[in-house]
Amino acid sequence: MKTSALNKQVGDSPFTADAAESFTMPARFYTDDSIYDAEKEAIFYQNWWYAGHVSQLAEAGQYLTATIHEQNVFIIRDKNNELHAHYNVCQHRGHELLSGQGRTNLIVCPYHAWSYNADGSLQAARNSQNVAGFNKCDFALKSVGVEVFCGMVFVNLDPDAVPLKEQAADLEKEIRDICPSVDDLVFAQRDPYHVPCNWKVMVDNFLECYHCHTAHKDFVDLVDMPSYRSKTGAIYSSHVSMGIPDANNKAFKLEDTSDLEFGYAAWFLWPNLTIWAYPGEPNLSILQMIPDGTDHTIEYQDWFLPSETPSPQLKQAMDYQKDVLQPEDVGLCESVQRGLMSKGYNQGRFMVDGNKSELSEHAVHHFQKLVVDALGGME
């Protein structure tokens, strides 16, 4: 049943399909617990969720776990090099089977030692041979969808989900054009962040550079802002500057810019994933916004590099992201969340210019419309 908070209320200005005319989503979309609860089923249980990287599942028996709100799953590679994903719960009494990441030849429940194969079939249940009518085939693990996309591993709880490669084929091409060696990268580092704001505040912030000149002085010295453009697709948007940066910019030094073919590239993939590529040596990083309550978000930034140990130049880029750019954005998002609680604010207006310049917020509107549509619209 649709929550009443989603309906248009007195004082709301129109949220429309035309970004140039639309007001933003009302503040309650970021503060109302009933909307947060509705997002679980309508958004996160029906879309592709980033879980890790294929380099973390390179060998038979290697596994990763991922949690989508209350739903815990794991992904494991079998002896035939196939990936399988299952709900991370024993079919006997509901105990979780695996934690974190690791490697195992057999999935054994820590509670009563029921054991499972990588394909989810029940291998053994102690004393079951003495239980009348017990059939191991009735107790296989419940599977979920799994897909590899540009080296990243995704899961989907919706059994009828359209494959990600079909939904985001153009995105895959864009990533491979910018980073042709994407399949050869390996997981190098994870940087966690805990931010007291709604997950959508952080996505909104990523999707526009209207704030970059005022809030990210080093970033605009790195990126050629006149060539920075945002483009929206069905379930993604791209944010790319093709201008070649100055080797001695304030963000991090570039050893050689003569062979660079782009200046900065980033993408948003619905519902809560951002993908980054900095200039220089091949690299890709993932920044995932994980809802953890109406007013709290857990972020993970995973780095994929040519080797597990970053070069000095890549280490500079990673340190800049962790020590400068992220704290700047975190501070902005914390302040926005506080402001969204104010009785003095409900909606703003998207700044969308005719040229869709580097200052335009049309990609923010694109994301917010995906949210509103997934929740059933505002009536």
Side-chain angles (χ1 to χ4, degrees):
M1 182 177 178
K2 185 174 178 180
T3 173
S4 60
L6 294 169
N7 297 327
K8 188 173 181 179
Q9 298 184 6
V10 174
D12 284 352
S13 297
F15 180 89
T16 66
D18 186 347
E21 297 180 356
S22 181
F23 286 78
T24 61
M25 290 190 306
R28 63 183 177 278
F29 275 70
Y30 302 86
T31 62
D32 191 287
D33 289 338
S34 66
I35 290 181
Y36 175 81
D37 290 337
E39 290 172 347
K40 296 179 185 180
E41 290 288 347
I43 296 177
F44 294 105
Y45 293 169
Q46 296 187 36
N47 288 284
W48 291 97
W49 179 280
Y50 165 77
H53 192 261
V54 287
S55 63
Q56 298 169 285
L57 297 164
E59 300 176 1
Q62 284 190 299
Y63 65 84
L64 291 170
T65 59
T67 301
I68 309 172
H69 285 288
E70 293 85 8
Q71 305 304 313
N72 194 282
V73 303
F74 71 89
I75 309 97
I76 190 168
R77 188 175 295 279
D78 69 15
K79 296 178 181 179
N80 296 317
N81 204 35
E82 295 292 326
L83 288 180
H84 303 271
H86 310 283
Y87 284 97
N88 190 16
V89 58
C90 181
Q91 299 301 292
H92 174 220
R93 296 266 297 282
H95 196 285
E96 290 183 334
L97 295 167
L98 299 171
S99 60
Q101 64 183 77
R103 186 175 181 182
T104 183
N105 293 323
L106 193 64
I107 302 160
V108 180
C109 179
Y111 197 7
H112 299 101
W114 280 32
S115 60
Y116 300 86
N117 299 306
D119 65 2
S121 59
L122 180 64
Q123 172 68 24
R126 291 185 308 128
N127 201 37
S128 61
Q129 68 275 15
N130 298 316
V131 176
F134 186 91
N135 188 338
K136 290 195 296 184
C137 295
D138 295 334
F139 297 96
L141 300 179
K142 303 299 188 294
S143 297
V144 300
V146 61
E147 184 174 340
V148 175
F149 182 86
C150 290
M152 297 167 278
V153 180
F154 290 81
V155 292
N156 197 316
L157 305 185
D158 181 2
D160 300 318
V162 177
L164 185 54
K165 287 190 175 183
E166 291 183 23
Q167 296 189 65
D170 290 341
L171 171 59
E172 180 174 17
K173 182 179 184 304
E174 287 187 29
I175 293 175
R176 292 186 180 279
D177 285 345
I178 291 291
C179 187
S181 60
V182 62
D183 295 313
D184 300 322
L185 302 179
V186 298
F187 175 79
Q189 180 173 303
R190 165 168 282 190
D191 297 318
Y193 307 90
H194 295 265
V195 188
C197 74
N198 187 272
W199 69 280
K200 298 186 293 298
V201 171
M202 307 213 74
V203 176
D204 286 344
N205 178 75
F206 169 84
L207 292 170
E208 49 90 357
C209 227
Y210 188 38
H211 71 282
C212 290
H213 286 277
T214 55
H216 301 312
K217 303 297 186 182
D218 294 345
F219 182 80
V220 297
D221 194 52
L222 166 70
V223 176
D224 177 60
M225 295 310 297
S227 68
Y228 182 100
R229 289 294 181 272
S230 297
K231 182 182 71 174
T232 60
I235 63 166
Y236 81 98
S237 58
S238 57
H239 310 266
V240 178
S241 170
M242 296 305 295
I244 305 304
D246 185 340
N248 293 312
N249 69 85
K250 296 176 182 177
F252 57 88
K253 307 303 179 186
L254 293 163
E255 295 176 2
D256 183 9
T257 60
S258 60
D259 294 331
L260 293 184
E261 296 182 355
F262 75 100
Y264 167 81
W267 300 269
F268 163 73
L269 177 59
W270 170 255
N272 66 330
L273 192 71
T274 65
I275 305 166
W276 306 56
Y278 277 123
E281 300 169 70
N283 69 93
L284 208 66
S285 65
I286 300 301
L287 187 62
Q288 185 181 32
M289 292 75 163
I290 300 175
D292 185 36
T294 305
D295 57 359
H296 190 261
T297 300
I298 300 170
E299 282 192 315
Y300 291 125
Q301 182 144 31
D302 289 351
W303 290 89
F304 313 127
L305 310 176
S307 69
E308 293 181 358
T309 302
S311 68
Q313 180 177 292
L314 284 173
K315 183 66 165 57
Q316 284 189 55
M318 296 164 72
D319 288 346
Y320 162 70
Q321 176 76 21
K322 181 178 180 180
D323 299 334
V324 180
L325 189 61
Q326 268 296 98
E328 289 172 346
D329 277 329
V330 165
L332 295 171
C333 293
E334 290 177 351
S335 179
V336 168
Q337 186 68 31
R338 292 192 297 268
L340 289 166
M341 297 294 295
S342 172
K343 293 182 181 295
Y345 178 84
N346 185 43
Q347 290 171 275
R349 183 69 188 275
F350 292 108
M351 293 291 100
V352 178
D353 58 65
N355 295 323
K356 294 186 176 179
S357 71
E358 77 277 12
L359 303 178
S360 182
E361 295 181 309
H362 54 283
V364 185
H365 173 269
H366 171 259
F367 164 65
Q368 292 190 10
K369 189 173 187 304
L370 286 172
V371 171
V372 170
D373 289 348
L375 294 175
M378 292 177 60
E379 299 174 358

